[in-house]
Amino acid sequence: MAAILDTRSPFGTYRAERLVRAAWRLADRHDLSKSLRRRIRALVSWVFSGPYDLEAEGLKFRIYPGENYDDRKILAKGRLPERDEHKLLEPYLGNGKVFVDIGANIGSYSIFAAQKGAEVLAVEANPHTAAKLKFNIRANGLENVKVVETAVGPKEDTLPLWLEPSNYGFATLVKDLTTGEWAGNWSPTFVDVKPLTAITDDEMLTRIDVLKVDVEGFEDRVLLPFLRHAERSLWPRVILLETNCRPYWTEDCLSELANRAYKVTGQTNDNMVFELTA
C-alpha cells in the first residue's frame, strides 16, 4: 500500500522495528536475481511502506522505502547511499562554503553539506519529494539550507516531469528514460523550469564552491547553458556530475568541462567529480 506523507508529526514518531529492517535487507539482497528482488520488493513495499524515522551517519531522515531508492538503501544498509561521493566532496565543504544541489531528492547531499557548515541551496522539482526534503531539513535543525522548488533547464519553460511510484527520486524530464531498463508505471506531472543562471540571480549568489547535478539524463541541459552564460567568477570550483544516464545527454558534458579547464579528481560508479584548475 502507498505510504501516507506525514510532514507534521515530530521526528521519532515512526520507529523501524527489527522485522522492518530485516524485510528491507532481504529486498535489497543483490545475490538474488533482479526479477526475484523486484517481486520481493513489491511485497515488502506493500507491507512495510513506511514512513520510518531513523538516523544514518548522524543525520536524521523520515523515509518512505516503498517509493524511494535512497530511502530503501538507508533502511537496508543503515548508512547513506552516497557515502563514497560524500568522501570526495568533504574536503571542499565547511563554514562559509556555498553548496548548490540540483536534484536534491530527500536531502542526503544537502543535509550532509549543511552539517559540514556550508550554505546550501537545494533545488528539487518534484513537489512530493520537496515536502520530504523540507521535513528532513527541519528534523536536523538546519537553518543554512534553502529549498527552491523548480526544475532546471536551458530556458524558462513548463515541462512534464515523469514520475514512477516505486522510486520518486528517479523523476526525469527525459521521456526516453521511462522505457527499456527503467520501464514502469510512469506518469507525468507538469513543473516549472528555470535556467540555473536565473536561480543564482534570484538567490543573489556571488560564488559556488560545490555544484552537484543529478537530474536523470538532463544534466547537460542544466550544466552547459550555465557555464556558457554565467560570469566566470560564478563557475563552481568543484562539480559533482551524475554520469550513469550519459547516453541520454544531447551534448557531451565531459568534453565541455575539459575545454573549460575542469579536471577529473574523483569517480564512483554513478558520478564524476571535476575541479576547476585555471
Side-chain angles (χ1 to χ4, degrees):
M1 64 181 70
I4 297 173
L5 181 63
D6 180 358
T7 60
R8 294 182 177 273
S9 61
F11 181 84
T13 299
Y14 303 100
R15 294 184 60 190
E17 303 291 351
R18 185 174 299 176
L19 179 60
V20 174
R21 294 174 182 269
W24 279 107
R25 281 197 296 269
L26 174 63
D28 191 57
R29 280 182 52 175
H30 283 257
D31 58 335
L32 304 176
S33 70
K34 184 179 292 188
S35 60
L36 177 58
R37 194 164 65 245
R38 187 181 295 115
R39 291 197 296 271
I40 293 172
R41 187 174 69 228
L43 175 61
V44 173
S45 296
W46 188 80
V47 179
F48 300 116
S49 59
Y52 303 107
D53 294 338
L54 51 82
E55 294 191 30
E57 299 177 31
L59 307 181
K60 298 176 181 178
F61 297 91
R62 175 162 290 169
I63 64 171
Y64 301 78
E67 59 183 42
N68 193 293
Y69 172 88
D70 276 11
D71 294 31
R72 290 195 284 274
K73 289 297 181 182
I74 290 171
L75 184 53
K77 303 291 187 184
R79 62 171 178 82
L80 299 179
E82 302 92 359
R83 186 164 59 181
D84 292 340
E85 285 83 357
H86 290 177
K87 288 179 181 177
L88 292 172
L89 294 183
E90 187 170 2
Y92 307 103
L93 300 171
N95 293 334
K97 301 295 185 181
V98 177
F99 179 79
V100 177
D101 186 354
I102 309 298
N105 201 343
I106 63 167
S108 56
Y109 279 96
S110 287
I111 292 169
F112 171 79
Q115 289 279 35
K116 296 299 179 182
E119 296 295 322
V120 178
L121 182 66
V123 183
E124 174 54 49
N126 183 358
H128 186 73
T129 303
K132 299 176 184 178
L133 169 65
K134 291 176 182 178
F135 176 88
N136 291 335
I137 291 167
R138 293 195 303 272
N140 286 277
L142 297 169
E143 298 182 354
N144 52 332
V145 185
K146 180 172 182 181
V147 177
V148 175
E149 294 186 49
T150 187
V152 185
K155 63 180 181 178
E156 294 203 10
D157 207 342
T158 301
L159 292 174
L161 180 70
W162 292 88
L163 307 175
E164 210 288 325
S166 70
N167 186 10
Y168 281 123
F170 196 67
T172 181
L173 294 168
V174 182
K175 187 178 180 182
D176 288 348
L177 263 173
T178 63
T179 61
E181 180 182 354
W182 288 289
N185 298 315
W186 295 89
S187 61
T189 185
F190 283 83
V191 296
D192 292 333
V193 181
K194 296 180 71 172
L196 184 51
T197 48
I199 295 171
T200 55
D201 285 347
D202 290 346
E203 301 302 323
M204 295 184 288
L205 295 185
T206 58
R207 79 173 200 275
I208 300 173
D209 294 290
V210 181
L211 172 67
K212 169 239 168 184
V213 186
D214 176 353
V215 287
E216 318 307 343
F218 214 66
E219 290 81 11
D220 59 317
R221 282 150 281 190
V222 170
L223 180 60
L224 298 184
F226 178 72
L227 293 177
R228 289 165 182 164
H229 298 293
E231 295 290 335
R232 199 178 191 282
S233 60
L234 197 56
W235 288 9
R237 177 188 173 192
V238 172
I239 298 170
L240 183 142
L241 184 69
E242 186 182 56
T243 55
N244 63 350
C245 293
R246 184 181 175 186
Y248 295 87
W249 294 349
T250 58
E251 295 186 83
D252 183 25
C253 293
L254 306 191
S255 61
E256 290 272 356
L257 286 168
N259 291 339
R260 286 169 171 77
Y262 280 95
K263 179 182 177 181
V264 177
T265 58
Q267 188 167 355
T268 67
N269 289 337
D270 297 325
N271 297 277
M272 298 178 73
V273 176
F274 302 83
E275 184 171 1
L276 187 61
T277 57

